[in-house]
Amino acid sequence: MTETYTPGKPIWCAGCGHFGVQGALVRALEKVGAEPHETMVLAGIGCSGTIQNNVSAYGYHALHGRVLPAATGVALANPDLTVVAAGGDGDGYAIGMGHLVHTFKRNPSLTYIVMTNETYGLTKGQRSPAAGPDPAHNEGIDSVRLGLSIPGSSFIARGFTRQAEQLESLTVAAVEHANAGRGFAFLEVLSPCVTYKDLYPQWDAAAYDVDEDPAYDPMDRAGAFATCQRLDDEDRIPIGLIYTGNNESMEARWGPGDRRLNPGGPDDRDVLHGFLDGMAS
Amino acid sequence: MTETYTPGKPIWCAGCGHFGVQGALVRALEKVGAEPHETMVLAGIGCSGTIQNNVSAYGYHALHGRVLPAATGVALANPDLTVVAAGGDGDGYAIGMGHLVHTFKRNPSLTYIVMTNETYGLTKGQRSPAAGPDPAHNEGIDSVRLGLSIPGSSFIARGFTRQAEQLESLTVAAVEHANAGRGFAFLEVLSPCVTYKDLYPQWDAAAYDVDEDPAYDPMDRAGAFATCQRLDDEDRIPIGLIYTGNNESMEARWGPGDRRLNPGGPDDRDVLHGFLDGMAS
Amino acid sequence: MSPNGVTDFNVMVAGQGGDGSLTVVTLVDRLMRRHGLHLYTSRNVASRIKGGHAAALLRGSDVRRGCIGDHLDLLVAFDAEALEIAGPRVGPEGIIVFDSSHGEPRTEVAIDPTVQRLDIPFGRLSVRDLRRDLFKNSFGFGVVTRLLSVPDDEAEDVLSERFNRLPPRAKAANIEALRRGFEYAEEHGIEQGQGRWRFGRAQAHGEHILASGNQGAAFGFLAAGGRFFTGYPITPATDVLDYLGPRINKLGGVVVQAEDEMSSINMALGASMAGVRAMTASSGPGIALMQETIGHLGSAEIPLVIIDAMRAGPSTGMPTKPEQSDLDMLVFGGNGDFPRIVLAPTNPYDAFEIGVIATNVAQLYQGPVFIAMDQAIAQDSVTVRRFDVDSVEVEPGKVVDAETLSGLEEYRRYAVTADGISPWATPGTKGGLSLVTGNERDEWGLVSTEPDNRVEQMDKRERKVKTVESLLPAALRGGDPDAEIGIVGIGMEVGVIIEAVERLAKSGSSYATFMPRTIWPVPDETIEFISSRRIVYVVEHNAEGQLKRVLAAAGAPPDRMHSILRYDGVPFRPADLVAALSERASVA
Amino acid sequence: MSPNGVTDFNVMVAGQGGDGSLTVVTLVDRLMRRHGLHLYTSRNVASRIKGGHAAALLRGSDVRRGCIGDHLDLLVAFDAEALEIAGPRVGPEGIIVFDSSHGEPRTEVAIDPTVQRLDIPFGRLSVRDLRRDLFKNSFGFGVVTRLLSVPDDEAEDVLSERFNRLPPRAKAANIEALRRGFEYAEEHGIEQGQGRWRFGRAQAHGEHILASGNQGAAFGFLAAGGRFFTGYPITPATDVLDYLGPRINKLGGVVVQAEDEMSSINMALGASMAGVRAMTASSGPGIALMQETIGHLGSAEIPLVIIDAMRAGPSTGMPTKPEQSDLDMLVFGGNGDFPRIVLAPTNPYDAFEIGVIATNVAQLYQGPVFIAMDQAIAQDSVTVRRFDVDSVEVEPGKVVDAETLSGLEEYRRYAVTADGISPWATPGTKGGLSLVTGNERDEWGLVSTEPDNRVEQMDKRERKVKTVESLLPAALRGGDPDAEIGIVGIGMEVGVIIEAVERLAKSGSSYATFMPRTIWPVPDETIEFISSRRIVYVVEHNAEGQLKRVLAAAGAPPDRMHSILRYDGVPFRPADLVAALSERASVA
Ligand SMILES: Cc1ncc(C[n+]2csc(CCOP(=O)(O)OP(=O)(O)O)c2C)c(N)n1
Ligand SMILES: Cc1ncc(C[n+]2csc(CCOP(=O)(O)OP(=O)(O)O)c2C)c(N)n1
Ligand code: SF4
Ligand code: SF4
Ligand SMILES: [Mg+2]
Ligand SMILES: [Mg+2]
């Protein structure tokens, strides 16, 4: 075997939620049978943005906030890959917010895992946009409701590192959604930063598992929104599969997703000559 | 009187919806008694982004997509001003999307009028993010539902240039919300581009006026979302006052909004010496 | 022009933007192509949809020209503003056809006394007789063809061809309008076949196409295997999106209109990293927004072609006006030191060739390659040889496949190699797992700040530009190679320099011309050219002399270089340059 | 050092990041300040929260120094990696205190034979006796104070002061740990007051503070009336946000943490346009994202101060390492030609002064002013004179109020004036309605592409930089002004150059030094300095010689300038520069 890089050891603080996210991802990739060389893990910048170093897959460390456009490019370029984008809530909800909304809209078939800890871990503890209200700040952004508000979205879930089994099955469901060509699988994970903002106690109390609620219907967008809103009013946070729907994926709209976009098809030159004929003087 | 610039004549195509937006704005500013010199109109880039040239007020032509951060800076710097940001749907929902979400979140007291025409008028007719689905594209972004999904939002309305009276009263309500220091007043206006995408007929048919619906409650966020969603499923578009609530505004959180942030208060130097004492060696 | 035939003819049609008046130009254009003339066409519009002065310029000439000529021979002015602005540009013995429907200019217009002016109320008559203002164009064309001594039936033929796809009713109305034009000409004493000018016999020029630089570069990208394009609309780069949008899917490729320029370039980056040749295009403001990612491409070693169709800056500037004022940003923008290549086509054919080179070189050296075109090169349409697509080679670069990998003992994405280029396995390839990052890294792709490793990686990246240097396009040269005075210019200056120096040579002044197509890294030949002259005039469209500055930064002797600058949004005409050079010669 | 007292002392404490070991340094720091030494402190950390080699460096000296010295006198190494990395840097007669709790280095470490090594298992003993690893720091401090011949009660005093705010229990435990340190020193034969080193008598140096460049610039901004700051966290610029965050509101100002750098700079722009002095700060990647807006500030004529705390690039690069590789971008980035000013402080006091100048000059000339600091200048803390806030003047610039306006016949926001600066009415001012835009515009602010107007507006904008040029900070000069060899360097190179040239002078080699504080526009004095030497060495922390390139672009003779470069993320020490210069002297 060719020697390539060996997945590294995480550099996170002991107890960091991100370990849990990584564990779930590694197990999920195995479960869905994604071959390492046919998998690409793209990460943002932040503590969370080192996950790609620890997973056996092609890895890419994007610019801060740009992981989704890059992942979209990869997914469109090679639809055979299992494409997993991952990053922090600063990366995804601050500088990356515009891309998040547009990725929901475009619905490319890839998985996006956001490790939310309400803080910027790597830059030492500033507030992230997900951070809740305090005397000097308005309420935080709720990416789940945001995702529900985009008519093109197709898969929205939230896990919690404390609930490892559920997290793993949500990760599996997300990757399967994307790999089935059904579009953008968005998974937010509550992943506490034990160094700057240990939310384990708070989230332990607040988490509400919609998967356990037989009355909850993840195919009902407006119902999902109402539930999220009600829970929020009660200071609770819904976790589980929030929504799944059937919007057409971006690659599907671009035609058969079964080939790599490489040049050299036998007719390429003829097609090019055709273009020139149209410009003839 | 000092001669300053004279508001120019619009350069829009005859029949462009933007005329209607301007008319409503001019009348609304008059109605709320905003003095021209105490008013600032900031615009994006696009056909829509020339409105500031035609209104008697301080005018600013922002960079493409950056009108909201600039307007937030103005509003924080001088809370006495009536601050109106305006722009197109390309400007606001494509390149400006991240800022829109964060302005909803921060809730600064200013008005934002988006002239939605589902197209990029100035660059000659490309699709805007608000454009609805077609065989090659997924559904468009619905900024009203997006606004509802941000927990910090405080005022969301949609007008239609065909309904001039309602548009004017919505504009008045928006400016009053902002001027009362209640936060970010978001007003989307359906403002057709007659040259590249004349949606008058379609929108005439689709508009559904929630103001006329006695059962509709603009204080109920989840209810508003459900109504918008239901109407969308019926290919209808809600117009009117969609939502209004009572989140604290950004300036309010920054303390008394009654002074301009200028240096020279008598104690400034003492305060500075205090900082130095803290660094003393 | 010779009495026997038009050999160099400049015509402008001007009016308010968006009223369709510019279609007259496309008619004259067809006429000239029929007669085998080379064309150079340019538009001059305000950045707004309707209204605002708009003009279309057309030059037909028997030798290929790279710019519009000094004077107009014929001006068709559809309103008073057009007459005010363009009237003074009509040369001796020229003709102005003026649509007098809406009155005279408000100010005195300085028009050459030998110019003849025909006042015809096209607009009014069109509305009166044909019910639509729009028909004034075909009406005007009728007068113009008479002035050009074109037989009426040929004129009708050209018109029919052009309006082929119109409903019969509309087509008939246009022909009716054309005939009204003939009548009106007749009334003004211009008989069929007896106009002021006359075309020569059509000559065979080989296979030609009419293309702009934007189209040339886009086509070159496709020919060299480009299959993924992202863009965000912006003048004057939108053409690339427009050109590729309906075409790339026929080659199995993808075009995405992104939500902004950061998304645009990062999607392209993603596709490229996945092994598909990718490109994006924008203009100054958008390229400015891409700066962080451009450095990232340089750092992480990801190929990408980036078109910058340059408009007048700074900031939003003058979106429809040409300038060469992004050079500094292209060469020096972005944080940190990283390799990049900046190429500058001199005409649409060149844009095609450079599109090919850029796509291949990006792939070969694994980094960003810019194609810098001022708005004139990007948008002016010119008759050029049919692009030689058959001779294009698609360079694979150092991409390694699973088979090759299985024979290797180890694979390091950022292996330090003698040529600075590391073998590259794209995702999906068995045996090539790799880490790609914009942090400094070791050969495996793991983040590292170890000082020695850092230096090795930096040096490796700088080295690889040298490796591909020989593939970068050489400068064009002209004039007298032994002259002690040199002229340097790129893009839109090239056509002007060639023509000006041709004229100056006739009057006994000789200059050596040097027109770089590779801006950065500055090739040795550029430094040598400058170092071996007494004086070098660097002709540029910007205020600070950016090209001169780039050359000085690369070591060209600053005291030999003198700037000839223009930054008012207007191209040089050959006479401008002749004047500027003559003036300097008299001072020197 | 002299036997009577420490006059120049370098100490490093190193271990794993985040385990609190660096607090030892703050203790030694207090000790040295008590004894009147000037301090220079620097941190060397990995860009990660915990783990990774981290070191704190401290230099105490009786004359002010602008860098860390060549060799360490004392190394406190809390683990084997620290010993491996820093051991070789301990100079002759130095001492290493090694925490032997976790074993020996795995590789051979080359340590000077005259260095004494004390192995003490601080960590293990702290856990055993005091239940927490953390106490190893106070433990270590006990040993260190004995080595420095500090009386035990003084050491205890310093410790108490430092831990004043700890709960009594924790404080007592630290004191206990300190005493264990004394005991351990005793066991190793180091009696109280009998250490290797000894401080001299405290001298009065006037009022001093300990500050970094980031703090200096932030304070200067406040002092000059800055009241609006926006930032987005990024190493090494976050300090500015951290410094201003809790302070600006005491002056009625506002700090906003934005969602990204585009928002950050555009909010600041908005506040500035509304008449409030504003600033933003970032590092390379963030400044790259701001490029479009920076050109817009230049075009639309809006004042803004922008701090670039430069880290090693390209791209994400090495976030905690110093570099001077954004100079090209600051000087040449952004689309189009627009005026800008780039200043570069040489120490924290200078940063304060330049913070004041930048804030005033931005207001005066209505455009962007950069404060460029490499990470070392930005973050290293140095004892400097107390900032002279009382002498700061707040320049109003050409802001016009309603009263003035009422006396004017007309008000044009972009009036073409002799000095290039237009009167400016901020929104809210009666009589001053205006249009501000990044399009080219006429004097009234209305979009215009009219060629003559364009040239007037461009020239006006270029002109106004000249108007404020005399207010920009002059270079520092040193060495022998008549020497034919010159040395040029900015930022972190300055302290090193001064010390190196001082030493070289002692050995008979004389150099003239020139340390610019105004980078752009390049002042005449800079060109003159270079032009009047035979050779000029330009010392820089980047790979491509960016400063040299900027100077060449501005007309400095390229053949006289030679680069001395470093880009491995490590600062020069004076000895490095002495060696580099001596080597070149022997070749020259
Ligand atoms: C353009 C840019 N701006 C700022 C930064 C600095 N930066 C690095 S990580 C980070 C935030 C990380 O927060 P988050 O994404 O929540 O990840 P976490 O560390 O919490 O896992 C920031 C702002 C950067 N690298 N690039
Ligand atoms: C950074 C940047 N990218 C692109 C452009 C080009 N541009 C000008 S207007 C516009 C879109 C306008 O669309 P919209 O905001 O919907 O306004 P409309 O013309 O439809 O009123 C674009 C993309 C620009 N000016 N700046
Ligand atoms: S700082 Fe917080 S987010 Fe970062 S590794 Fe430590 S616990 Fe995790
Ligand atoms: S192009 Fe469309 S949006 Fe622009 S002015 Fe014309 S109608 Fe209005
Ligand atoms: Mg986070
Ligand atoms: Mg629009």
Side-chain angles (χ1 to χ4, degrees), chain A residues 206-269:
Chain A
Y208 175 92
D209 189 347
V210 298
D211 291 347
E212 303 272 281
D213 179 348
Y216 186 85
D217 175 7
M219 308 280 286
D220 173 9
R221 199 184 273 272
F225 190 92
T227 304
C228 290
Q229 162 102 11
R230 179 177 49 75
L231 288 168
D232 187 15
D233 291 344
E234 299 166 3
D235 282 330
R236 306 214 56 177
I237 304 176
I239 59 172
L241 176 62
I242 309 284
Y243 175 75
T244 176
N246 286 314
N247 276 304
E248 207 181 20
S249 72
M250 187 179 188
E251 326 80 64
R253 289 192 306 278
W254 267 101
D258 59 352
R259 43 113 189 75
R260 292 175 57 157
L261 308 175
N262 275 330
D267 326 315
D268 279 10
R269 210 154 268 183

Side-chain angles (χ1 to χ4, degrees), chain D residues 138-483:
Chain D
S138 299
F139 198 152
F141 184 58
V143 176
V144 167
T145 50
R146 279 289 180 97
L147 288 171
L148 288 164
S149 315
V150 172
D152 290 353
D153 54 354
E154 187 181 345
E156 213 168 302
D157 201 38
V158 167
L159 192 89
S160 304
E161 209 181 274
R162 169 75 174 77
F163 291 131
N164 224 356
R165 262 169 287 168
L166 278 190
R169 226 5 196 312
K171 193 169 154 181
N174 274 296
I175 292 190
E176 180 54 31
L178 178 76
R179 292 186 183 150
R180 301 287 333 253
F182 299 153
E183 283 168 29
Y184 233 84
E186 198 92 26
E187 282 174 31
H188 281 72
I190 311 159
E191 305 286 324
Q192 187 175 179
Q194 307 291 319
R196 167 81 51 92
W197 301 284
R198 178 182 308 278
F199 290 113
R201 192 181 291 274
Q203 293 165 18
H205 286 292
E207 266 194 301
H208 276 69
I209 57 173
L210 189 71
S212 67
N214 275 335
Q215 291 172 341
F219 188 89
F221 168 70
L222 291 179
R227 293 295 179 267
F228 194 96
F229 177 80
T230 51
Y232 185 75
I234 187 166
T235 306
T238 314
D239 306 345
V240 182
L241 187 63
D242 291 344
Y243 184 83
L244 291 173
R247 288 181 177 81
I248 208 167
N249 57 337
K250 301 204 172 120
L251 292 159
V254 169
V255 162
V256 184
Q257 180 187 317
E259 69 272 28
D260 62 23
E261 287 85 355
M262 268 85 63
S263 178
S264 177
I265 190 168
N266 278 283
M267 280 198 232
L269 171 162
S272 174
M273 185 167 53
V276 173
R277 280 140 214 259
M279 179 166 87
T280 186
S282 190
S283 187
I287 301 287
L289 287 170
M290 295 178 178
Q291 290 298 305
E292 188 199 16
T293 306
I294 288 163
H296 183 73
L297 294 162
S299 165
E301 310 205 31
I302 301 171
L304 197 68
V305 181
I306 304 150
I307 291 180
D308 181 4
M310 297 183 283
R311 62 197 219 179
S315 192
T316 312
M318 306 194 295
T320 59
K321 304 295 172 194
E323 215 166 72
Q324 303 170 327
S325 58
D326 294 349
L327 299 179
D328 272 354
M329 169 171 69
L330 300 182
V331 170
F332 297 124
N335 58 301
D337 298 299
F338 59 91
R340 72 192 93 190
I341 291 168
V342 184
L343 309 177
T346 63
N347 64 50
Y349 194 89
D350 206 10
F352 154 67
E353 285 191 337
I354 284 183
V356 170
I357 294 173
T359 310
N360 277 331
V361 166
Q363 181 80 3
L364 286 166
Y365 105 112
Q366 303 173 17
V369 180
F370 289 104
I371 302 178
M373 297 184 276
D374 52 66
Q375 176 274 341
I377 294 293
Q379 295 203 299
D380 289 354
S381 282
V382 188
T383 6
V384 293
R385 269 180 301 134
R386 187 178 167 104
F387 300 147
D388 183 9
V389 52
D390 297 314
S391 70
V392 171
E393 307 262 356
V394 177
E395 296 286 352
K398 279 208 190 176
V399 173
V400 285
D401 59 15
E403 206 186 332
T404 315
L405 280 165
S406 70
L408 298 178
E409 240 170 62
E410 52 174 39
Y411 167 71
R412 308 183 184 203
R413 173 67 191 94
Y414 295 107
V416 174
T417 56
D419 64 4
I421 304 169
S422 311
W424 171 28
T426 62
T429 313
K430 200 160 182 168
L433 288 203
S434 37
L435 289 171
V436 172
T437 174
N439 274 111
E440 196 54 271
R441 71 215 70 113
D442 63 17
E443 289 185 279
W444 301 103
L446 282 162
V447 173
S448 165
T449 58
E450 200 278 307
D452 292 340
N453 173 77
R454 156 71 172 182
V455 171
E456 278 179 24
Q457 288 292 329
M458 283 289 281
D459 291 351
K460 172 186 116 64
R461 292 193 292 265
E462 294 287 328
R463 200 154 65 229
K464 63 186 182 163
V465 183
K466 291 253 169 300
T467 302
V468 293
E469 236 166 37
S470 65
L471 305 172
L472 303 180
L476 307 179
R477 289 164 187 262
D480 173 2
D482 300 324

Side-chain angles (χ1 to χ4, degrees), chain B residues 18 45-48 64 88-91 95 117 119-123, chain C residues 232-234 261 285-286 289 311, chain D residues 292:
Chain B
H18 300 352
I45 291 195
C47 294
S48 41
H64 191 42
D89 53 346
D91 194 77
I95 189 166
N117 54 15
T119 193
Y120 285 24
L122 191 65
T123 52
Chain C
Y232 184 74
I234 188 166
E261 287 84 354
L289 287 170
R311 63 197 219 177
Chain D
E292 188 199 16

Side-chain angles (χ1 to χ4, degrees), chain A residues 118 127-142 145 197 199 202-203 232-233 235 237, chain B residues 105-106 151-152 246-248 253:
Chain A
E118 296 196 3
R127 291 171 60 87
S128 93
D134 70 22
H137 297 89
N138 202 346
E139 300 186 51
I141 283 166
D142 173 6
R145 268 179 285 172
K197 189 165 190 175
L199 291 171
Q202 189 179 318
W203 282 343
D232 187 15
D233 291 344
D235 282 330
I237 304 176
Chain B
K105 176 188 186 306
R106 281 190 287 256
N246 288 313
N247 276 304
E248 207 181 21
R253 289 192 305 276

